[in-house]
Amino acid sequence: RAVVGCSAYGCIGEEDADDDSNDDTQPKEVERKAAACVALGAFPQSVAVATHVEDNSLPDADDPPEVWHARFGLAGTPAEAISRDPPSFVVFSSPGFRNLQALIDGLDFAFPNCSVVGGISSWSEMEHPQALFHYAATDEAAAGGSTGRYETGAVVLCLQGGGVRIESLAAQGCRPLHTPPIAIASSDRNIVTSVIASNGSKVTPLEHLMRTLSNLDDSDRSAARNLMAALTPKSTDALRSDDDENKDDDGKKEDEKEEDDDEESPSWKSTWGSDSTNGYLVRPIVGADNNSGAVALGSEISPDQRLTWVCRDKEGATQDLELHLSERVRRRLEASFSGSSEGSTKQVLGCLLCACNGRGYDLFQSDSFDSRTVRRYEPSGKVCGYFANGEIARCGVHDPAVAAAAADRSPSRRQSSISSRDPVSLLGFTLVVGFVTYSPPPS
């Protein structure tokens, strides 16, 4: 038996459906009220292990993968089996867990292409302590007298094998203010010092940002008060090719155009590229220098990244969520039509939701918007989840089985596949969905 969970600002579950509905239940998000939501699952052929970790009980960063395997319940499982069938993790963290980043980095390192969903526990009143729930025992005596309630550390549920996997989706709730992404010409740690504009000229990021804001209409300029930066790895498929990116609608390259051309008007699909649901990581703007024109972001910057100025608002959150859900549906249909045995037999058992406490009714002005949007795209998935103070997942849409198969087909990608292109990250303002799926394992 394994029991995991946390306290939260609000919870997400199912309630009796309206009389005119064809379903027996419908998603319900409860905020600022006392409520509880429980999901039960039985996975007789799978490994299901719950682990509570503290700051001092994580493996070291230089420990081999086998140490991490043992720490989270997969001791003795062959590395080949873990690589072929990556585990899925659900993480509940306390706000004061200092080694949360080390935890998710370690899972990413030791379990390539694994799926990770979760978040940081939250509460509506700061004087109330957040709680984590963890109970794992085969009988009462093995519990050692533990109450199963903790206020520190993190609780991790590991699921592996038996045909059960968690496909993750992370919608970061933003929309672009310009297109295409701009190349970062120079940076120092988390500070961008120069960028390459779409016309090929090198400018300071602050100059480019001011130019972008001046081209917005009044409604977008108002939304830009929630200004952020989206970082896109240059090497990923999420960006168009250089030839495509440097050409306008008439086929002319950008450097053939006048240098004072304005940035193009925003286009959701073209900004993120042909695969617009993966490859970008939204980070806050934490400062700017008027003298040098440098802009500081809330994470380290690598020289191969590109940047898009984005804003977060109701429109962006709605578009972004529907774009990601549509992409997941497209991939499932593609798998079914391609004759994939897993694509034709896979069923969704339920959906685990972890929503930022900045979303919900205050953002959408609509009851249970996120969870009911998920239901529209996945009618068979009953929901269970909570509002968090920071969300955990890979960016975009991630299917561990597809990622593992891609790495297996190309040995050179085994260590540098989706796991390195879209690492497990701590996110904000995000809706994370874990689709718990089952496909009958090979006999």
Side-chain angles (χ1 to χ4, degrees):
R1 299 192 300 278
V3 179
V4 295
C6 68
S7 63
Y9 158 90
C11 66
I12 305 169
E14 298 280 338
E15 68 172 2
D16 291 339
D18 297 332
D19 293 338
D20 57 351
S21 173
N22 294 325
D23 298 322
D24 56 341
T25 64
Q26 63 185 6
K28 176 65 176 178
E29 299 171 14
V30 180
E31 303 176 63
R32 302 188 184 94
K33 294 179 181 178
C37 181
V38 179
L40 305 177
F43 312 116
Q45 294 180 291
S46 304
V47 175
V49 180
T51 306
H52 176 251
V53 296
E54 295 279 6
D55 284 311
N56 60 359
S57 63
L58 276 180
D60 292 333
D62 56 354
D63 281 334
E66 292 76 15
V67 176
W68 288 84
H69 298 171
R71 186 69 183 88
F72 293 100
L74 297 181
T77 304
E80 181 183 349
I82 292 175
S83 176
R84 184 179 63 252
D85 190 2
S88 300
F89 295 95
V90 184
V91 177
F92 302 87
S93 174
S94 66
F97 184 44
R98 296 190 303 273
N99 281 335
L100 176 58
Q101 190 63 52
L103 169 62
I104 61 180
D105 287 347
L107 296 178
D108 210 2
F109 156 72
F111 305 93
N113 299 310
C114 69
S115 178
V116 182
V117 297
I120 300 173
S121 64
S122 61
W123 195 259
S124 57
E125 302 290 343
M126 292 304 294
E127 63 268 20
H128 290 280
Q130 290 90 349
L132 302 178
F133 308 119
H134 164 257
Y135 180 87
T138 55
D139 54 46
E140 294 297 329
S146 170
T147 63
R149 182 184 184 279
Y150 300 87
E151 294 183 7
T152 59
V155 172
V156 181
L157 174 65
C158 173
L159 290 172
Q160 201 271 333
V164 176
R165 300 187 183 94
I166 298 178
E167 299 173 11
S168 66
L169 179 153
Q172 297 177 74
C174 63
R175 59 188 175 95
L177 297 177
H178 64 93
T179 182
I182 54 176
I184 296 175
S186 60
S187 63
D188 179 16
R189 292 173 296 181
N190 69 318
I191 300 173
V192 182
T193 53
S194 63
V195 298
I196 306 297
S198 60
N199 57 26
S201 62
K202 183 182 289 188
V203 298
T204 68
L206 188 58
E207 179 184 349
H208 185 276
L209 176 58
M210 293 299 102
R211 184 189 306 168
T212 299
L213 295 177
S214 68
N215 290 333
L216 301 178
D217 58 29
D218 290 341
S219 60
D220 280 343
R221 195 172 293 119
S222 175
R225 288 177 295 183
N226 296 318
L227 190 64
M228 312 286 283
L231 297 171
T232 318
K234 186 176 182 180
S235 59
T236 71
D237 296 334
L239 288 171
R240 297 170 292 175
S241 68
D242 287 341
D243 286 342
D244 288 341
E245 183 182 89
N246 292 328
K247 292 179 182 179
D248 62 14
D249 292 337
D250 297 323
K252 296 180 181 179
K253 290 193 173 184
E254 291 290 337
D255 57 12
E256 297 173 2
K257 299 167 74 177
E258 293 296 325
E259 284 200 359
D260 59 354
D261 270 2
D262 290 336
E263 295 294 327
E264 299 175 33
S265 59
S267 171
W268 195 265
K269 195 76 173 177
S270 62
T271 296
W272 302 132
S274 59
D275 181 1
S276 49
T277 60
N278 275 13
Y280 68 90
L281 177 64
V282 177
R283 285 296 182 244
I285 298 172
V286 297
D289 187 329
N290 287 324
N291 295 324
S292 66
V295 173
L297 305 182
S299 69
E300 293 275 332
I301 301 161
S302 62
D304 64 342
Q305 289 181 307
R306 301 185 185 183
L307 181 149
T308 302
W309 306 116
V310 300
C311 69
R312 282 173 159 165
D313 60 1
K314 175 182 176 180
E315 178 186 352
T318 302
Q319 289 179 323
D320 191 43
L321 177 56
E322 296 206 345
L323 180 67
H324 282 77
L325 290 167
S326 296
E327 173 63 15
R328 181 178 175 275
V329 171
R330 184 193 67 79
R331 293 186 188 187
R332 290 195 67 184
L333 290 173
E334 190 176 71
S336 296
F337 291 144
S338 68
S340 165
S341 58
E342 182 169 291
S344 60
T345 60
K346 181 186 296 183
Q347 63 183 104
V348 175
L349 306 179
C351 300
L352 304 177
L353 270 60
C354 183
C356 174
N357 56 18
R359 297 173 71 103
Y361 188 86
D362 286 346
L363 174 67
F364 295 108
Q365 296 298 296
S366 177
D367 185 43
S368 307
F369 180 86
D370 274 335
S371 56
R372 293 184 182 181
T373 301
V374 172
R375 174 61 54 82
R376 280 198 289 113
Y377 285 85
E378 187 52 74
S380 63
K382 303 294 186 181
V383 302
C384 180
Y386 66 103
F387 287 89
N389 195 30
E391 301 74 54
I392 303 168
R394 298 189 191 278
C395 297
V397 180
H398 178 77
D399 184 336
V402 172
D408 191 55
R409 287 193 300 269
S410 177
S412 63
R413 293 182 58 194
R414 285 176 184 161
Q415 298 303 319
S416 59
S417 60
I418 295 176
S419 184
S420 60
R421 292 180 0 191
D422 292 320
V424 182
S425 300
L426 181 61
L427 309 169
F429 204 75
T430 299
L431 175 68
V432 169
V433 185
F435 297 92
V436 184
T437 66
Y438 173 74
S439 297
S443 57

